[in-house]
């Protein structure tokens, strides 16, 4: 057998399609395909048994595909550098191949250690871009062009693999093996490349037609959103493949239209909105790549100290516990929290509302709620998650301070009360007209529908109008300071989108652009 052995390290790229490290390594010689369960990473607060289930499903799918190509997946457990060291004693590999990763501080530090280990042992480590994020980006100007160029590059085809026999694999680890407390997410999405492809195909050909009008409601968003996020997060499908399939679908629809077929025009707007969001995916991750500290600290440091003391005090603790339990007395907030605990997913609007509610109504610092909610999102993606949490908490400095009214969101996004009734059974028999503000129900209706406020369901933990006014005043006071504005300008230069808002995105304000204050 000719060619030196190459080691392909799979991390958050659990696929064989469009996997350039695998394709390039396989050209040079036999490959060992490695995935490592890392006690530090897989024991971190953001990683749960639900993530492990999804991960293992994805690893099984990857192993199947590798076997079809002639290889197989080697699973190991341990600190990366120690695993590499051990493996080197068993197999004399000459090169390490992987994708770049824009992840949490844990993965950043681990990658630096791997880099040092490779240098020390004279092993070249070749990393390829995995998405539109640019490493060592000098300026945000022209970023959109980089993104376009990246997604237009041809995808790497799955290669024929020359595997190596006899490399020991530890097998799939269980939650007990990793000391993970059991979490039950019966309605979570299933992992793997096949599921990723099926999910995307059904969105692009059936489910996505009303994406634009359905995405903001947790009722219609369940089917109407793409649900591609965990597959992107675990890399079961590449961002480039999603963008390519989207392009193909758009062309097919246009061709059908040109040929005189009846094409539902809603497709065009919906697919355009979907395409914008695939850019945002990388736009947000780029922020973490450029400034890893934003996982822990405010974009604009002038906001430091604004909420910390209150959040750490007894009232802050009480509010945080109520928020986590879904016992705030705000039905839409409570329904979302309880839903995400079981399903691992929420649509954008509801995530934004939860973050905004914790930051403004409850006056909690974003970090703790973000970590907690991140541990419940199957698609947890540090770059998007922490940037979004900061944006929805008013600490990014460059975005509109948008405070969501849970009652208004209930009326607009769950007008029949279907979502609230499903997730907050205490409110099941409450008439729909009272569902957004059950505390205002007359006592006799409370008794008639078996939901006495304060006994069966809590009264609102804070009063909306007062809490919102206080939060707005406090934030506005910091925003007025010269140092805040100076810092915010720097944040814009470093991280701000250079794209002008469309009328639609400015109205909806999901796209990060203009600063201001707004109620939603
Ligand atoms: C507080 C908060 C936390 C979030 N945390 C995460 C997270 O950990 N992981 C994650 O993938 N997304 C996160 N999002 C963004 C967004 O809510 C999810 O990507 C989306 O709900 C996932 O469902 P979907 O794949 O059906 O999305 P779709 O609406 O179908 O969108 C398709 C894809 O576009 C990207 N996307 C969509 N909206 C956004 C956005 N606003 N910002 C960046 N990318 C976007 C995602 O990759 C998504 O999978 C967060 C949003 C908020 C407000």
């Amino acid at each position: 057998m000719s060619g030196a052995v190459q080691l392909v390290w799979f991390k958050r790229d659990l696929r064989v399609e469009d996997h350039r490290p695998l394709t390039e390594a396989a050209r040079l010689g036999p490959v060992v395909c490695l995935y490592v369960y890392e006690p530090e990473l897989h024991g971190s607060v953001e990683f749960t048994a639900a993530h492990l289930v999804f991960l293992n499903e994805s690893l099984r799918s990857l192993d199947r595909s590798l076997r079809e190509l002639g290889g197989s997946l080697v699973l190991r457990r341990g600190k990366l550098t120690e695993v590499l060291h051990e493996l080197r004693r068993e197999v004399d590999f000459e090169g390490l191949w992987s994708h770049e990763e824009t992840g949490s501080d844990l993965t950043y530090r681990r990658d630096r250690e791997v880099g040092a280990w490779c240098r020390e042992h004279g092993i070249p480590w070749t990393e390829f871009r995995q998405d539109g994020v640019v490493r060592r980006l000098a300026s945000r100007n022209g970023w959109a062009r980089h993104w376009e160029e990246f997604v237009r590059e041809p995808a790497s085809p799955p290669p024929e693999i020359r595997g190596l026999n006899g490399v020991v694999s530890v097998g799939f680890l269980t939650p007990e093996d990793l000391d993970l407390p059991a979490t039950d997410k019966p309605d979570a999405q299933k992992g793997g490349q096949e599921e990723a492809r099926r999910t995307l195909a059904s969105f692009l050909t059936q489910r996505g037609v009303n994406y634009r009008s359905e995405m903001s409601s947790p009722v219609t968003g369940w089917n109407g959103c793409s649900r591609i996020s965990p597959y992107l997060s675990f890399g079961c499908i590449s961002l480039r493949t999603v963008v390519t399939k989207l392009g193909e679908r758009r062309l097919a629809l246009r061709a059908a239209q040109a040929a005189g077929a009846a094409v539902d025009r809603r497709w065009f707007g919906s697919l355009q909105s979907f395409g914008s969001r695939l850019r945002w995916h990388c736009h947000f991750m780029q922020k973490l790549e450029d400034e890893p500290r934003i996982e822990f600290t405010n974009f604009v440091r002038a906001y430091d100290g604004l909420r910390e003391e209150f959040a750490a005090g007894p009232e802050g603790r009480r509010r945080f516990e109520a928020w986590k339990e879904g016992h705030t007395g705000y039905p839409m907030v409570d329904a979302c929290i309880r839903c995400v605990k079981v399903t691992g997913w929420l649509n954008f609007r509801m995530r934004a509302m939860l973050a905004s509610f914790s930051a403004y109504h409850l006056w909690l610092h974003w970090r703790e709620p973000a970590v907690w909610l991140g541990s419940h999102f199957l698609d947890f993606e540090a770059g998007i998650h922490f940037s979004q949490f900061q944006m929805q908490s008013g600490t990014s400095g460059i975005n509109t301070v948008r405070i969501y009214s849970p009652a208004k969101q209930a009326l607009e996004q769950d007008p029949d009360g279907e979502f609230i009734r499903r997730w907050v059974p205490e409110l099941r028999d409450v008439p729909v007209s009272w569902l957004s503000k059950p505390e205002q129900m007359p006592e006799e209706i409370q008794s008639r529908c078996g939901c006495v406020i304060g006994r069966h369901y809590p009264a609102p933990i804070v009063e909306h109008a007062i809490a919102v006014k206080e939060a707005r005043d406090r934030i506005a006071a910091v925003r007025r300071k010269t140092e805040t504005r100076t810092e915010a300008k720097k944040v814009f230069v470093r991280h701000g989108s250079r794209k002008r808002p469309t009328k639609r995105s400015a109205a909806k304000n999901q796209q990060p652009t203009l600063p201001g204050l707004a109620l939603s």
Side-chain angles (χ1 to χ4, degrees), residues 349 353 356-357 360-361 392 400-409 412 464-473 506-509 516-520:
R349 178 70 66 90
M353 183 195 69
S356 149
F357 186 82
Y360 298 117
H361 290 75
Q392 306 301 340
T400 300
V401 170
R402 183 158 293 270
I403 305 182
Y404 288 86
S405 155
K408 184 165 176 271
Q409 292 303 316
E412 289 176 359
H464 172 78
I466 296 174
V468 165
K469 176 162 186 339
E470 279 179 11
R472 288 181 74 158
D473 291 350
K508 288 248 170 197
N509 205 52
L517 282 162
L519 275 176
S520 286

Side-chain angles (χ1 to χ4, degrees), residues 230-246:
Y231 304 107
L232 286 174
S233 186
F234 284 79
C236 304
I237 194 165
S238 75
L239 184 94
R240 178 167 28 221
T241 301
V242 179
V243 175
T244 305
K245 296 276 178 208
L246 168 65

Side-chain angles (χ1 to χ4, degrees), residues 241-290:
T241 301
V242 179
V243 175
T244 305
K245 296 276 178 208
L246 168 65
E248 287 169 4
R249 172 67 173 149
R250 280 170 134 168
L251 280 180
L253 284 168
R254 276 195 214 114
Q257 201 180 35
V263 171
D264 190 330
R265 294 189 59 78
R266 289 172 299 181
W267 271 117
F268 296 106
S270 286
L271 294 184
Q272 194 189 344
S273 296
F274 179 59
S276 307
R277 280 154 184 79
L278 296 175
R279 269 194 201 86
W280 299 0
H281 176 99
C282 305
H283 165 82
F284 279 95
M285 287 178 66
Q286 184 74 51
K287 295 177 195 246
L288 185 71
E289 175 68 36
D290 292 345

Side-chain angles (χ1 to χ4, degrees), residues 211 225-229 232 274 277-278 280-281 284 345-348 351-352 355 377 379-381 384-385 388-389 392:
Y211 177 65
C225 286
S226 71
R227 312 297 307 277
I228 203 68
S229 54
L232 286 174
F274 179 59
R277 280 154 184 79
L278 296 175
W280 299 0
H281 176 99
F284 279 95
W345 185 84
L346 276 175
N347 60 329
F348 170 85
R351 295 185 196 211
F377 287 160
D379 60 22
F380 173 64
E381 183 67 76
I384 303 177
H385 191 70
Q388 277 287 354
F389 241 95
Q392 306 301 340

Side-chain angles (χ1 to χ4, degrees), residues 203 207-212 214-215 219-226:
F203 175 73
R207 295 185 294 113
V209 63
N210 286 322
Y211 177 65
R212 243 188 198 175
E214 291 183 340
M215 68 166 95
V219 182
T220 51
W222 183 261
N223 264 312
C225 286
S226 71

Side-chain angles (χ1 to χ4, degrees), residues 212 272 402 499-511 513-514:
R212 243 188 198 175
Q272 194 189 344
R402 183 158 293 270
K499 201 165 178 269
R500 287 173 171 226
T502 59
K503 273 190 194 150
R504 202 186 154 78
S505 67
K508 288 248 170 197
N509 205 52
Q510 291 198 354
Q511 170 77 341
T513 38
L514 299 170

Side-chain angles (χ1 to χ4, degrees), residues 369-432:
V371 170
W372 184 86
L373 210 47
S375 76
H376 284 283
F377 287 160
L378 205 53
D379 60 22
F380 173 64
E381 183 67 76
I384 303 177
H385 191 70
F386 292 112
S387 308
Q388 277 287 354
F389 241 95
Q390 291 220 42
M391 181 171 155
Q392 306 301 340
S393 306
T395 55
S396 63
I398 57 172
N399 308 108
T400 300
V401 170
R402 183 158 293 270
I403 305 182
Y404 288 86
S405 155
K408 184 165 176 271
Q409 292 303 316
L411 290 171
E412 289 176 359
Q413 307 303 342
D414 186 25
D416 301 328
E418 187 184 333
F419 182 72
I420 291 176
R421 288 207 176 93
R422 169 161 185 212
W423 294 107
V424 190
E426 307 94 289
L427 300 173
R428 197 169 33 220
D429 296 323
V430 170
V432 73

